[in-house]
Amino acid sequence: MRLQRIATSLPEVWELRPAIFRDTRGFFIESYNQARFAEAGITDAFVQDNHSSSLKGTLRGLHYQLHHAQVKLCRVIEGEALDVAVDIRAGSPTFGKWAGVVLSAATQNQIYIPRGFAHGFLALTERVQFLYKCSAFYDAEDEHSILWCDPDIAITWNIAAPLVSEKDAKASALAAMPRELLPVYTMRKER
């Protein structure tokens, strides 16, 4: 069972495509296999699984944790979502840049988001079931948000008025975020 790793516009964010075995009964995939993911360069230990359900037009994000930074491995099991990662690491050569992947239950693709990136997604279909693994536990006191419609980041969401939480609507633009609340870029070895 081969796991395909596909580059995005950000060198550390990857789209992943597991092998899908289909027949008249349906399909089978290994959504996570530690050994196969390690062969693809993903050696993070995941400690928490999250599941959200969203109606079409719901936008969640852009979220990150600073001191308990999370690697995220995201997928959709019903519908489609535009999943976005934004490099918010101070000093990074790709600071303020974003990458997006449409995750789909039909393709069973995933996105790998490393530490130091803000994360968000938009539900593109009537209902989206969104699953993601995290490498650190959720800590509400450590969570921060970047404004989903920050004009300097200019994410192409293709929606003018998404459904967002009050917290996400009040988030700061990246340029207004105090530097002590942003992760710092450190050179990483190529995986």
Side-chain angles (χ1 to χ4, degrees):
M1 293 184 154
R2 191 172 153 260
L3 179 66
Q4 184 181 9
R5 186 176 105 175
I6 301 165
T8 69
S9 60
L10 293 175
E12 295 168 78
V13 176
W14 306 312
E15 179 181 359
L16 304 166
R17 293 191 178 230
I20 304 173
F21 299 93
R22 298 181 193 274
D23 64 21
T24 56
R25 300 167 297 165
F27 71 88
F28 173 83
I29 66 164
E30 281 186 350
S31 59
Y32 181 75
N33 176 308
Q34 185 182 33
R36 295 202 200 302
F37 275 71
E39 289 170 6
I42 298 170
T43 57
D44 308 280
F46 295 101
V47 298
Q48 180 176 321
D49 283 351
N50 298 327
H51 182 163
S52 71
S53 177
S54 300
L55 300 175
K56 184 176 185 175
T58 297
L59 194 151
R60 298 180 188 267
L62 301 162
H63 305 144
Y64 69 98
Q65 291 186 175
L66 181 62
H67 302 291
H68 304 284
Q70 297 175 313
V71 171
K72 293 181 178 174
L73 184 60
C74 309
R75 67 191 187 105
V76 165
I77 60 168
E78 179 183 359
E80 289 187 347
L82 172 60
D83 198 300
V84 171
V86 179
D87 187 349
I88 59 167
R89 299 168 300 167
S92 168
T94 56
F95 179 79
K97 304 292 184 207
W98 65 277
V101 173
V102 173
L103 300 179
S104 166
T107 61
Q108 295 290 328
N109 61 330
Q110 300 177 28
I111 188 171
Y112 172 82
I113 302 170
R115 290 171 187 82
F117 288 70
H119 172 247
F121 70 90
L122 172 67
L124 300 175
T125 52
E126 291 308 313
R127 182 175 161 127
V128 172
Q129 298 288 330
F130 192 93
L131 303 178
Y132 57 107
K133 296 181 133 355
C134 298
S135 66
F137 295 110
Y138 175 72
D139 181 348
E141 298 297 315
D142 193 34
E143 184 179 52
H144 302 279
S145 299
I146 302 295
L147 187 63
W148 68 271
C149 58
D150 183 331
D152 292 334
I153 300 172
I155 298 168
T156 309
W157 295 109
N158 291 323
I159 188 169
L163 301 170
V164 297
S165 70
E166 185 177 334
K167 176 184 78 169
D168 290 347
K170 294 179 178 178
S172 296
L174 183 56
M177 186 63 72
R179 290 297 172 227
E180 65 270 12
L181 294 181
L182 292 176
V184 176
Y185 173 74
T186 56
M187 264 317 232
R188 296 183 185 177
K189 292 187 292 185
E190 182 60 31
R191 294 180 184 228

